[in-house]
Amino acid sequence: MSKAKIKYYDVAMVGSIAEMIDLALKEASNNIAYKYKMDDGIFCLTYLGFINRVYALGAYLEKKGLAGKHIACIGANSINYINAYFTVLRSSGVFVPIDKELPHNDILNIIENSESEVIFYDARYEDFLRENLDKIPDMKLFIGFDRKEDDGCFVSFSKALEEGKNLDKSAYLALHSNPNDLKLLVYTSGTTGMSKGVMLSEHNIVSCVCYGLMVSTVYETGFSVLPYNHTYESVADILVSFHHHSTLCINDSYVSMLKNLKLFKPDYVYVVPAIAEMIYSRLNREMAATDTKEKFESLVALSNGMRKVGIDKRREIFASILETFGGNLVKIVCGGAPIRAEIAEFFDNIGISLVNGYGITECSPLVCANPDEDNDFKTAGVKLPCLKWKIDNPNSDGIGEILVKGDSVMIGYYKDPAQTAEAIRDGWFYTGDFGMITEEDKLIISGRKKNIIVLNNGKNIYPEEIEGYIQGIEYVNEVVVSSEADENGNESSLKAEVFLSEVRTPAEVLRSIRDACRELPIYKQISNVKIRDKEFEKTTTNKIKRFIKKNDDK
C-alpha cells in the first residue's frame, strides 16, 4: 500500500481540559474567544473573561457538593451552554448533553438512565421538568439559563455565576479525573434503533482535538451552527476552536444562518451535508432564476484554466458569490455523512475548500479527514495519527465493515456490557459502516451496514451510493432507495422514494433517475419510483430516518 504523504500541522499536545485551559490563559488571554448576538449587537468575550466564568460556575457547583456528579444540559446553542460544558469538563464530573428535539419521555429516560443530579436547561423545559419531578427523584438542582430568581430547587444561571465569582476557586481548581474515566456521556440519535449512551473519556476527546488539528487546521474566526449536544460540534468544533485559540461566533438559529454569516464574516464553518446541499441548491436556483448559470460555468472554466498555470483568481472572480458567506470564508468542514463530490467541487471552484471527513460518536467523533493540501473530494480522507483502521471481511471490491482502534475510541456503552462487547472486539471498534481503504490509505464510505440491500441474485447494494447520483437531479430534494419484492416475494429490484421541489410524474422522475444513474451497472438501476407528498422524518442532524423492516412490521 502506497500511503499518501501527509504534512501534519504542529499542535500543542495536552492531556486534559485543564491543560487546554491553562494553555489558552498563557497564550491567548486577551484574544476574543466568543462572539454572539445580544441586544441587537455583537458581544465579544475574551478567553480570560470566558475562563473566569468557567471557574466561577465551577466554584458554585463545588460549594453545592455537585461538581463531581453527572450533570445534564438541554437547550439551544448559547454562550451559557458552552460555559456549562467547559465547567463540567474541567471538573471531576460527567457532562450529559441531551438532544433538545427529543420527545419528553426520552428526555426523562436519559436523565434517569444517566444518573444525572444537576441539569442546565432553557426556559421552555421548566414547566415540563416541574411536572415530572416524581420521575427524576435523584435530580438535586435545576439551573435555568433564562431564570432571573432562585426558588431553592430551580435556580438562576446568572445568579449562580455571580455567586461563584465571589467564591474561592481553589477547591474547584483542585478537582481532577482519571483521564481514562467517563467524562462525556452522549446519547446517540441514530437513523435506526434506540439511543445508546456512548461513554467518552477525557483522553478520548482531547486526543480527537489534538490529532484532528494535526490533519486539518482551522483559522482565526469560526462560525458555530450545529447543535451542541452532538460530539461533531461539541468536540470537533467547540474544543478544536478553543485549542486553536480561534474566535467562535455563535449562530442563534438556522433561519438566520446566511444572515449571520454576513454579520460575523467567518473564515471557517463546520456543517453536515444537508447544510452544504442546501447552500449549493440555493445558489444554483438563484443562478437559474437570473439566467447566469451559463456565465458562471464559463467563469469556472476560465478560472480553472488559469489555475493550471499557477494563477489563482477565484476569490476575485467569484467575489459576489463569496459575499453570500460574509466574504472571508475559506473552509467548510463537512461531516456526519458522505457528501457528493460535485458539491465539494462546486465550492472548490469558487475558492472555498470543502473538506470531507468521517466520524462516529463512538470515536469522539473523528476518525479521518482530508488534509488541507490533499483534499480528495471522492474520499473521507486519512485517519487521525492516533488511530489504526482496517476493513473486516472485504468483498471482491475491497468493501467491508470499517474497524477502528486507538486513543479516541469510546470506553463503551453506558450500563450495557452486552452491546459494548458486541461493538468492541479485541480492541477493535466495529463501526457498522461499510467502506474501503484505497492504496493511498484513504477511506471511501459505501454506506451503513444496516442499510445494505441484498437482492435475490446475491448482489449487495449500498443505497447511499445510488442516492448520491439521484440527489444530483435538480428537483429531487430527498431520496431513499430500497428493495422491491416481486410477485413471489423475492427482493429482485430497486425502487426510489423521492420528495420533490416541483410537480413531476413518476415516469418523468424515472427517466431523470435513469439518466443520472447511467454509469451504474444494470443491477443498481432503479425500476420503480414513489413520489412522497411530504418530507421524510429526520434525526436532529437532518439525516433521514430509515426504518428497518421487522418480522412484526406493522
Side-chain angles (χ1 to χ4, degrees):
M1 182 178 288
S2 176
K3 295 185 179 181
K5 293 181 180 179
I6 307 163
K7 182 181 178 182
Y8 293 118
Y9 292 98
D10 291 329
V11 177
M13 304 300 288
V14 294
S16 67
I17 299 299
E19 288 180 26
M20 189 182 293
I21 290 173
D22 289 343
L23 187 65
L25 283 173
K26 178 181 177 182
E27 297 184 351
S29 283
N30 296 320
N31 291 7
I32 303 299
Y34 299 102
K35 289 183 179 181
Y36 49 95
K37 290 160 66 175
M38 190 173 72
D39 300 329
D40 298 322
I42 297 178
F43 188 86
C44 299
L45 185 61
T46 65
Y47 274 85
L48 177 60
F50 173 73
I51 292 167
N52 283 338
R53 285 178 51 136
V54 168
Y55 290 172
L57 186 59
Y60 173 84
L61 290 173
E62 197 282 330
K63 181 188 176 185
K64 296 283 187 181
L66 298 169
K69 305 299 184 180
H70 288 207
I71 298 177
C73 186
I74 185 167
N77 292 4
S78 69
I79 188 62
N80 290 342
Y81 190 118
I82 299 176
N83 194 160
Y85 175 56
F86 266 91
T87 298
V88 180
L89 292 187
R90 172 61 180 80
S91 75
S92 56
V94 174
F95 191 74
V96 184
I98 301 177
D99 187 339
K100 66 182 187 299
E101 303 302 331
L102 287 175
H104 283 179
N105 282 341
D106 289 354
I107 293 172
L108 293 173
N109 288 337
I110 288 174
I111 292 173
E112 189 274 332
N113 182 262
S114 68
E115 301 175 284
S116 294
E117 298 183 41
V118 181
I119 185 167
F120 292 90
Y121 67 93
D122 278 352
R124 61 182 275 202
Y125 300 100
E126 181 158 324
D127 289 345
F128 153 69
L129 291 169
R130 284 186 183 277
E131 292 164 4
N132 290 279
L133 289 176
D134 60 321
K135 297 178 181 177
I136 45 176
D138 295 331
M139 188 64 67
K140 296 180 173 62
L141 188 64
F142 299 80
I143 305 177
F145 287 133
D146 311 289
R147 280 188 68 85
K148 302 301 180 186
E149 299 296 333
D150 298 348
D151 69 359
C153 184
F154 286 77
V155 303
S156 160
F157 179 89
S158 58
K159 291 190 75 171
L161 209 57
E162 285 303 312
E163 183 179 335
K165 288 178 181 177
N166 298 317
L167 295 174
D168 181 10
K169 311 299 188 297
S170 58
Y172 169 72
L173 294 177
L175 297 173
H176 66 277
S177 305
N178 181 319
N180 295 308
D181 287 347
L182 174 61
K183 176 57 66 177
L184 185 61
L185 179 54
V186 184
Y187 286 81
T188 61
S189 58
T191 54
T192 61
M194 294 298 292
S195 295
K196 293 175 286 190
V198 177
M199 297 191 292
L200 301 177
S201 69
E202 191 169 16
H203 177 69
N204 288 154
I205 60 179
V206 168
S207 297
C208 183
V209 170
C210 295
Y211 289 105
L213 275 168
M214 287 176 64
V215 173
S216 181
T217 195
V218 293
Y219 304 107
E220 183 177 341
T221 304
F223 186 58
S224 177
V225 176
L226 301 173
Y228 289 170
N229 60 289
H230 294 282
T231 51
Y232 177 44
E233 179 63 27
S234 65
V235 177
D237 191 7
I238 291 176
L239 292 186
V240 162
S241 297
F242 187 92
H243 192 45
H244 192 266
H245 306 157
S246 303
T247 298
L248 197 60
C249 305
I250 301 172
N251 182 56
D252 57 351
S253 74
Y254 277 131
V255 175
S256 303
M257 185 176 65
L258 291 176
K259 179 181 177 181
N260 288 337
L261 278 167
K262 292 182 180 180
L263 176 68
F264 290 116
K265 304 183 186 302
D267 305 312
Y268 68 94
V269 61
Y270 283 66
V271 303
V272 290
I275 294 177
E277 288 259 9
M278 180 270 291
I279 296 171
Y280 169 78
S281 298
R282 176 171 173 167
L283 290 173
N284 274 283
R285 284 197 302 270
E286 289 176 355
M287 285 189 283
T290 56
D291 202 25
T292 56
K293 181 74 170 177
E294 188 174 330
K295 180 182 178 182
F296 170 77
E297 291 174 349
S298 297
L299 288 173
V300 167
L302 172 64
S303 172
N304 288 344
M306 295 169 65
R307 290 169 68 189
K308 289 179 180 178
V309 295
I311 303 171
D312 189 351
K313 296 289 185 181
R314 286 174 294 172
R315 298 195 68 84
E316 296 175 29
I317 294 171
F318 302 106
S320 61
I321 297 178
L322 295 174
E323 280 301 319
T324 304
F325 314 103
N328 296 330
L329 192 66
V330 295
K331 184 174 185 177
I332 298 174
V333 183
C334 195
I339 191 163
R340 289 186 285 136
E342 67 186 79
I343 297 177
E345 187 175 8
F346 171 86
F347 283 104
D348 180 70
N349 284 337
I350 64 174
I352 297 174
S353 177
L354 192 152
V355 175
N356 193 21
Y358 164 70
I360 187 168
T361 304
E362 287 88 340
C363 292
S364 306
L366 193 59
V367 172
C368 61
N370 268 289
D372 296 314
E373 294 186 0
D374 184 23
N375 188 14
D376 184 348
F377 306 149
K378 296 181 180 179
T379 79
V382 300
K383 67 180 182 294
L384 270 57
C386 63
L387 296 176
K388 296 179 181 178
W389 62 14
K390 65 180 181 180
I391 300 300
D392 183 52
N393 194 26
N395 64 14
S396 58
D397 295 320
I399 298 172
E401 187 171 0
I402 302 161
L403 275 54
V404 182
K405 176 190 286 190
D407 291 332
S408 64
V409 173
M410 68 170 180
I411 302 168
Y413 295 115
Y414 194 57
K415 299 180 181 178
D416 201 335
Q419 288 215 58
T420 299
E422 177 66 20
I424 303 176
R425 294 171 243 163
D426 296 324
W428 288 98
F429 171 60
Y430 286 66
T431 65
D433 290 315
F434 268 45
M436 63 177 291
I437 297 171
T438 70
E439 291 185 358
E440 293 79 27
D441 205 26
K442 296 179 179 180
L443 184 66
I444 296 175
I445 306 296
S446 300
R448 289 291 296 167
K449 182 178 181 179
K450 291 181 180 180
N451 297 341
I452 290 177
I453 299 167
V454 181
L455 297 180
N456 65 340
N457 60 8
K459 296 291 187 180
N460 288 354
I461 306 292
Y462 301 94
E464 294 91 340
E465 176 194 10
I466 303 170
E467 289 161 5
Y469 283 87
I470 297 172
Q471 284 167 347
I473 300 169
E474 192 172 73
Y475 59 82
V476 173
N477 283 349
E478 298 173 359
V479 57
V480 167
V481 169
S482 60
S483 62
E484 191 168 48
D486 60 21
E487 65 274 10
N488 298 315
N490 296 315
E491 305 289 330
S492 58
S493 60
L494 301 173
K495 72 175 180 180
E497 190 170 352
V498 295
F499 177 66
L500 308 178
S501 62
E502 58 188 63
V503 177
R504 296 287 182 123
T505 67
E508 288 177 304
V509 176
L510 186 58
R511 282 196 296 271
S512 294
I513 288 175
R514 286 177 173 167
D515 184 57
C517 298
R518 60 185 178 277
E519 298 177 4
L520 295 175
I522 187 66
Y523 65 88
K524 293 182 180 180
Q525 296 295 332
I526 300 297
S527 300
N528 197 8
V529 167
K530 177 182 177 181
I531 298 176
R532 294 176 61 90
D533 58 4
K534 61 182 180 179
E535 296 181 6
F536 288 92
E537 185 180 350
K538 301 180 186 68
T539 68
T540 53
T541 50
N542 222 28
K543 295 178 186 176
I544 293 173
K545 288 187 176 181
R546 298 175 183 268
F547 297 95
I548 304 301
K549 291 182 180 179
K550 305 292 183 183
N551 292 332
D552 58 348
D553 192 22
K554 296 179 181 179

